[in-house]
Amino acid sequence: MTASTWTESDTVKAEQIWSDYQKQHDLSICIGKTVGIAPNTGRVWIGESIQDVLSQRNADGVDSLLFFERIGSRTYYRKGGRR
């Protein structure tokens, strides 16, 4: 999968994987951490940052693109508005 082949269905699948994962695991100690989800394999990595998750993925020998979420937040990153 490359950036040009990421589709809306990949996003939907990653969100479903994450929803199912949250139902099966207690993530209360992971609030604020980053999760990376590989929609093509269903694998999930949790780390302190995107770079940490990528390091874990690479160490596992996986090279697929990931969908990222911030645990406990509706958005991963919110840029401040203009004043």
Side-chain angles (χ1 to χ4, degrees), residues 60-79:
D60 288 346
V62 178
D63 65 353
S64 64
L65 294 178
L66 300 178
F67 181 84
F68 293 98
E69 291 273 346
R70 171 89 55 209
I71 299 173
S73 180
R74 292 177 42 186
T75 59
Y76 186 82
Y77 176 78
R78 185 177 307 241
K79 184 177 178 181

Side-chain angles (χ1 to χ4, degrees), residues 34 43-62 66:
T34 298
R43 300 242 352 232
V44 173
W45 293 270
I46 296 174
E48 296 297 324
S49 65
I50 288 175
Q51 190 57 45
D52 185 29
V53 170
L54 291 175
S55 294
Q56 292 177 46
R57 179 204 62 180
N58 294 344
D60 288 346
V62 178
L66 300 178

Side-chain angles (χ1 to χ4, degrees), residues 13-25 44:
K13 186 171 181 182
E15 289 173 337
Q16 183 61 51
I17 291 166
W18 181 233
S19 177
D20 293 343
Y21 188 91
Q22 291 178 87
K23 291 174 186 171
Q24 298 171 10
H25 298 85
V44 173

